[in-house]
Amino acid sequence: MDESVHQHKFTLTEDQMPTQWYNIIPDLPSPPPPALHPGTLQPAGPEDFLPLFPMDLILQEVSQDSYIDIPGAVLDIYRQWRPSPLFRAHRLEKLLGTPAKIYYKFEGQSPAGSHKTNTSVPQAYYNAIAGVKKLTTETGAGQWGTALSFATALFGLECEVWQVGASYDAKPYRRLMMEVYGAKVHRSPSNLTAAGRAFYDVNPNHPGSLGIAISEAVEVAAQDPEIRYALGSVLNHVLMHQTIIGEEALLQMQMAGDTPTHIVGCTGGGSNFGGLSFPFLREKMAGKMDPKIIAVEPESCPSLTKGVYAYDFGDTAGMTPLMKMHTLGRNFVPDPIHAGGLRYHGMAPLISHIYELGLMEAIAVPQTECFEAAIKFARTEGIVPAPEPTHAIAAAIRQALVAKETGEETVILTALCGHGHFDLAAYEEFLGGRMKDENADDSRFAESIDEVKAFPINN
Ligand SMILES: *Cc1c(COP(=O)(O)O)cnc(C)c1O
């Protein structure tokens, strides 16, 4: 019997950890459309981003280099939890009775509990060496806020976080973890910013959205040269920082002796999905493998599957540059599902472009199917997933059950991008039979999409 049949985890040593991030843009058949200055509607230049980001990150955002060296100070910190393990889900496969092989790359071992530290650490580093004193940000599920609070603590920066109201109310321990790292956390919409007051004054208990929280954090950063803003997803440089996930997974799949036929990942803004899949997409474009690459989104917020591909703002107040992306409209407020990290009205411009090029697919999955999948996963693999990657697990299970019907030799690779230790209230609701599927009616975003279509730039 093949020894490898019994191998559960595929691990790399610290000196096998990749030392460069991968920038997929030069390898694509065409570049993604540029971000536009909201006033002039001309392509935004580096100087347009300077009030928000340090120059090193802006240069990464527009870089044409295929690889960028990871700074030594960042590599040192990465080594605390990287390389991250790749697991084969033998017991889940057995439960499903599927011939498919299911692999998952686990990012929940970082101190903050998700993949977000892969970008929070370099972002804090580049801001620190640029002399910035404080970073502001938003957080949906609380994962990004935690990751940035951790990273800013390491580099001696202050950190101020606007946590989406629904998440702030449901996850007090997420807030506390950020405070343990030294961050200041506000419920969003807050009465501290003009963007927040537009909602707070109408309803102080407004559930909030990522778009509103981004507006608040951007507003504060833009007003003070010592403060900059950090975004946990969506932008090119963020997706690039996450490619260390896929570069490691490529080596680990080689160790396992398998080539993925399906890569599935959950998409909020697209960073864990892009991070896992871009190195494999490079190999696919080079003709070395041919995996189907599938983004999985929640039905509450189906930007890729139901959104319009058009220029829209990254935030609700309309303060960011305009980005061409799949969007449900910046004024769309998704149902407050538990996967708070997936409640973003848009999708990364880079993922949107790759989707338009036909290099990947997308599906939307309802919340209860995700938690059913998560329970199967937890009761076989032992790890309690964050609500976001339950979408990826649900899609992996769907694919494994297709393989059971067809007998295909499917090899599924997914990112288990975070643990759910702070999300047990969601599991309580599910186990108590109280969880409902989100509203899946397209009329929810008809108006906000029409607003986007009406922008002069989109006509
Ligand atoms: C932030 C987050 C997401 C959503 O963001 P992406 O950029 O799409 O990865 C998904 N899962 C977890 C665990 C997160 O923290």
Side-chain angles (χ1 to χ4, degrees):
M1 194 186 206
D2 181 358
E3 286 281 297
S4 67
V5 167
H6 299 292
Q7 193 163 343
H8 277 261
K9 66 183 187 302
F10 301 86
T11 50
L12 300 167
T13 59
E14 286 184 18
D15 58 4
Q16 289 173 307
M17 186 175 82
T19 56
Q20 294 183 313
W21 294 302
Y22 171 53
N23 176 17
I24 197 171
I25 294 174
D27 285 342
L28 293 174
S30 64
L36 303 181
H37 186 280
T40 63
L41 300 185
Q42 294 303 307
E47 63 290 349
D48 295 323
F49 292 100
L50 264 178
L52 296 184
F53 303 108
M55 193 46 103
D56 283 329
L57 289 175
I58 297 170
L59 293 177
Q60 290 183 1
E61 186 64 20
V62 297
S63 174
Q64 287 301 318
D65 297 333
S66 294
Y67 294 91
I68 291 182
D69 288 337
I70 305 174
V74 173
L75 287 173
D76 276 346
I77 298 169
Y78 273 2
R79 284 191 197 98
Q80 186 185 348
W81 66 91
R82 309 212 68 84
S84 72
L86 177 80
F87 291 97
R88 169 108 183 254
H90 286 293
R91 292 185 296 262
L92 176 64
E93 292 168 16
K94 197 164 163 221
L95 176 78
L96 300 172
T98 176
K101 297 175 180 174
I102 304 174
Y103 290 91
Y104 59 97
K105 177 83 168 145
F106 185 43
E107 293 294 315
Q109 292 183 175
S110 83
S114 78
H115 67 291
K116 294 278 177 26
T117 47
N118 299 331
T119 186
S120 69
V121 170
Q123 290 196 46
Y125 166 80
Y126 289 117
N127 275 288
I129 62 172
V132 172
K133 296 277 178 293
K134 184 200 275 195
L135 289 178
T136 63
T137 199
E138 73 293 330
T139 194
Q143 297 267 22
W144 167 241
T146 313
L148 191 68
S149 305
F150 158 70
T152 49
L154 299 185
F155 291 104
L157 299 174
E158 292 171 48
C159 186
E160 199 166 351
V161 182
W162 275 263
Q163 184 173 7
V164 172
S167 156
Y168 185 96
D169 299 339
K171 299 191 196 183
Y173 295 120
R174 265 288 165 206
R175 169 176 57 79
L176 273 162
M177 193 166 174
M178 293 183 254
E179 290 172 354
V180 167
Y181 287 134
K184 201 170 191 177
V185 186
H186 311 290
R187 189 188 189 281
S188 172
S190 75
N191 60 3
L192 303 169
T193 65
R197 281 189 295 272
F199 298 91
Y200 180 92
D201 289 347
V202 180
N203 175 11
N205 296 314
H206 191 289
S209 71
L210 279 166
I212 297 169
I214 293 172
S215 294
E216 297 204 80
V218 165
E219 183 181 321
V220 170
Q223 286 167 0
D224 186 332
E226 297 206 315
I227 306 180
R228 293 249 163 75
Y229 165 72
L231 187 59
S233 184
V234 178
L235 298 176
N236 298 341
H237 68 271
V238 180
L239 273 56
M240 187 185 73
H241 296 157
Q242 296 294 353
T243 57
I244 191 160
I245 302 174
E247 295 289 12
E248 288 177 3
L250 261 177
L251 300 173
Q252 290 163 308
M253 289 302 294
Q254 277 167 18
M255 290 170 76
D258 276 322
T259 307
T261 59
H262 294 77
I263 299 176
V264 295
C266 68
T267 44
S271 74
N272 86 85
F273 171 79
L276 176 68
S277 62
F278 287 176
F280 288 88
L281 186 50
R282 173 187 65 215
E283 304 300 303
K284 180 176 164 128
M285 289 187 290
K288 294 186 199 154
M289 55 173 73
D290 194 22
K292 261 196 211 304
I293 300 176
I294 307 165
V296 190
E297 48 187 24
E299 283 202 334
S300 66
C301 197
S303 51
L304 275 173
T305 51
K306 297 278 179 71
V308 59
Y309 184 50
Y311 274 102
D312 193 8
F313 292 97
D315 69 318
T316 299
M319 289 186 284
T320 69
L322 286 156
M323 298 180 289
K324 188 151 188 189
M325 58 184 177
H326 290 84
T327 177
L328 297 163
R330 66 184 164 115
N331 286 315
F332 175 57
V333 178
D335 273 4
I337 54 161
H338 291 286
L342 307 186
R343 289 179 72 229
Y344 184 59
H345 65 275
M347 184 47 61
L350 191 48
I351 300 279
S352 292
H353 178 62
I354 289 171
Y355 185 57
E356 285 295 306
L357 289 171
L359 294 169
M360 56 171 278
E361 301 167 22
I363 59 171
V365 179
Q367 177 164 252
T368 56
E369 180 180 340
C370 296
F371 276 83
E372 271 161 33
I375 295 289
K376 286 196 177 89
F377 188 87
R379 290 181 186 175
T380 50
E381 297 300 311
I383 299 171
V384 178
E388 292 80 12
T390 65
H391 293 72
I393 295 168
I397 290 180
R398 278 191 190 181
Q399 210 60 56
L401 295 176
V402 170
K404 188 175 175 176
E405 291 298 314
T406 62
E408 273 169 86
E409 294 195 8
T410 303
V411 177
I412 303 162
L413 171 64
T414 189
L416 181 47
C417 50
H419 69 64
H421 298 178
F422 294 96
D423 304 285
L424 292 173
Y427 283 89
E428 182 181 33
E429 191 178 301
F430 180 77
L431 294 172
R434 295 188 302 279
M435 185 178 284
K436 293 201 174 44
D437 277 337
E438 53 269 64
N439 176 356
D441 185 337
D442 294 357
S443 63
R444 290 169 294 159
F445 34 74
E447 206 175 302
S448 53
I449 285 184
D450 280 348
E451 278 170 22
V452 173
K453 288 184 183 157
F455 290 171
I457 186 72
N458 291 326
N459 289 316

